[in-house]
Amino acid sequence: MATEVAFAKTFLAILDTKPTKISADHVEDPRTYPASTPFILPHHPSLRPFRKPSSRPAPAPGSTPASAASTGTSTSTTPGAATPSSGDAAAAAVVVHIRSARNPTLSLSLPTPQPLATTSILDIKTFVSQETGMPVEKLKVLFNKKPVGDVKSLKEVLSGSVPEGGGELELSLMVMGGQATFDSAEAKAAREARLAAKADVNASETKVEVSESPEVEMKDATQESKEAAAGPVAQGLSGPAVLETEEFWEDLKGYLQQRIRDEKTAEEVVGRFRGAWSGK
């Protein structure tokens, strides 16, 4: 008993010499720790060892493995089975018609069927600009009453519903500015230049037959080329008189509705524009 009491006193005396709390700057050298070997738990006998999954799927029963195909072994196909052709969709072409129901009233058709995969909306607008003389930035192409971006192809516009064996595609055209854009000086000059170029090409390709009065025939050909270069005389209103027509304000209202997508706001804007012009 005495020894146990003496031991307890000695142990408590040693503990008294130790600090009750570890200081914030306490440092312990890990090299003083006793060496130990990590213990790894053994695998459970019911678990399979880990294997890296194969990136190549196993062949289905009855199918030819990929190794046989690489060695030149050919597989037979069912007689009469149709093989898909990736070039059919790319080779599909349609006849494109462009129509404008409002001012200006236009109806154009591209001369040849256009491939769906490679023909863009910008190509169609360029064709219309060359035929009418109107700038490309003043033209908007619509499909199902919705504007279509310039970079989209005809295949994207049709959303995959490619007509078999070709067909026809009708697109709507909206002209910014209406009849005033069509009757502008730039558009008229471009149309006249195009007509003159066509007349020159036709004159160069046409073989003139020599007759008894060649001078009379040359005069007639020159007069016809001048008349063709002059082009049709522009008809309709122009200038401030256009703003007095209901068609102009209806065109402006339709354009604003497509851009703003709010009928009430478009009507309010048109009303303010018209009121400001009337009170001028």
Side-chain angles (χ1 to χ4, degrees), residues 148-210:
V148 185
D150 293 349
V151 297
K152 284 191 175 183
S153 62
L154 296 181
K155 185 178 181 180
E156 294 174 344
V157 172
L158 294 173
S159 300
S161 57
V162 180
E164 296 182 359
E168 295 184 355
L169 173 62
E170 182 174 346
L171 299 174
S172 301
L173 180 68
M174 183 174 67
V175 181
M176 304 299 176
Q179 189 71 34
T181 303
F182 183 78
D183 293 337
S184 62
E186 294 80 2
K188 290 180 180 179
R191 288 195 295 270
E192 292 176 359
R194 182 168 181 81
L195 290 174
K198 286 184 177 180
D200 293 340
V201 172
N202 294 334
S204 61
E205 292 178 354
T206 303
K207 295 181 180 180
V208 181
E209 297 180 357
V210 180

